[in-house]
Amino acid sequence: MSILHFVYVILLVLVAACFQPSHVLAAAQFEDTASPSSYLNNSPCPNAEDIAPCVCTYWDVYHSLDIDCMSIEDEQQLYDVFHANIPDPNFRRLDLGTDNLKTLTDTVFGDVTFETVWTHSTGFYGILTSVGPETFMKSAPTLRELYMPYNNLSNFPFQSLSQYTELTDFVLHDNPVSNFPIIQSENLRYIDLGAATFDIIPTGALDGLPNLEEFDVSSTTSIHSMAA
């Protein structure tokens, strides 16, 4: 190979290195500077002391927050948690213990929003009896799944469900709902009112649910008739 040819090859290599596509360079820079630990160090979770006994988890892969309030002791403590300094009020999931909660008031969650809400009890049943009509209203544009089984809910604002524009799953299994609720929703696909205490499903009660795919009233053995 002549010296001139050798110099020409070297120049081609240098030019190619200088003109790599921008997305390749960006990816290389990202690999050098980003790591799971850097995401965790910048977690948007509130200070642990501010929201105790609730616990916030930041999923760096999905850039989302969960909050576990299974150990909550009373309504005032729950209120204080969600009115603390919360840098990012948008949570993916709330797990809420209902061993010590009787009511969820309209203002208990402040400006915090959720995509999924699960209530739980360390025993078989929680003592939750009432949910306010505005309790989850801040989550009206975000809430997809609302699971509140095995409580003592006889007072639930069914009429507000029409305002939850993303809600697809609604579970109130094994709660003492004595009158079949009239529910209207364009997006609900799954409803579970199994083991309730109503005995009549009015004619046309499901007409306001055009996209309903499954309606579960299993174990509600007292249902015996339809009323006009």
Side-chain angles (χ1 to χ4, degrees), residues 96-128:
L96 180 63
T98 56
D99 287 334
N100 303 306
L101 295 176
K102 289 186 177 181
T103 62
L104 294 177
T105 64
D106 286 340
T107 59
V108 66
F109 294 117
D111 292 326
V112 174
T113 68
F114 311 103
E115 296 178 23
T116 296
V117 173
W118 266 99
T119 65
H120 309 263
S121 172
T122 55
F124 194 71
Y125 288 97
I127 65 171
L128 188 65

Side-chain angles (χ1 to χ4, degrees), residues 3 35-36 54 63 74 88 114 124 144 165 169 182 188 197:
I3 294 177
S35 67
C54 297
H63 305 288
D74 55 42
D88 185 348
F114 311 103
F124 194 71
R144 300 175 185 275
T165 56
D169 291 32
I182 302 301
L188 270 173
T197 57

Side-chain angles (χ1 to χ4, degrees), residues 47-87:
N47 290 330
E49 297 82 3
D50 292 343
I51 61 169
C54 297
V55 177
C56 175
T57 301
Y58 176 49
W59 298 96
D60 57 295
V61 175
Y62 306 107
H63 305 288
S64 64
L65 296 167
D66 290 355
I67 188 162
D68 183 328
C69 292
M70 288 295 296
S71 299
I72 209 75
E73 296 175 0
D74 55 42
E75 289 88 350
Q76 184 60 52
Q77 188 181 59
L78 185 65
Y79 180 95
D80 292 342
V81 165
F82 286 98
H83 289 77
N85 180 24
I86 299 180

Side-chain angles (χ1 to χ4, degrees), residues 149 170-174 190-195 214-218:
F170 175 58
V171 174
L172 220 62
H173 189 92
D174 215 336
Y190 176 71
I191 297 176
D192 182 352
L193 296 176
E214 185 174 354
F215 174 55
D216 187 348
V217 288
S218 58

Side-chain angles (χ1 to χ4, degrees), residues 96-200:
L96 180 63
T98 56
D99 287 334
N100 303 306
L101 295 176
K102 289 186 177 181
T103 62
L104 294 177
T105 64
D106 286 340
T107 59
V108 66
F109 294 117
D111 292 326
V112 174
T113 68
F114 311 103
E115 296 178 23
T116 296
V117 173
W118 266 99
T119 65
H120 309 263
S121 172
T122 55
F124 194 71
Y125 288 97
I127 65 171
L128 188 65
T129 61
S130 178
V131 175
E134 302 287 326
T135 297
F136 297 110
M137 197 54 67
K138 289 289 184 180
S139 300
T142 61
L143 191 63
R144 300 175 185 275
E145 301 166 318
L146 181 57
Y147 300 102
M148 308 187 79
Y150 304 107
N151 281 293
N152 195 31
L153 279 169
S154 57
N155 182 18
F156 186 90
F158 294 100
Q159 71 281 0
S160 69
L161 292 177
S162 62
Q163 300 180 59
Y164 293 83
T165 56
E166 298 296 322
L167 188 65
T168 59
D169 291 32
F170 175 58
V171 174
L172 220 62
H173 189 92
D174 215 336
N175 279 276
V177 179
S178 58
N179 295 312
F180 187 86
I182 302 301
I183 300 174
Q184 294 187 335
S185 171
E186 294 291 327
N187 40 280
L188 270 173
R189 291 182 170 82
Y190 176 71
I191 297 176
D192 182 352
L193 296 176
T197 57
F198 54 79
D199 59 1
I200 293 175

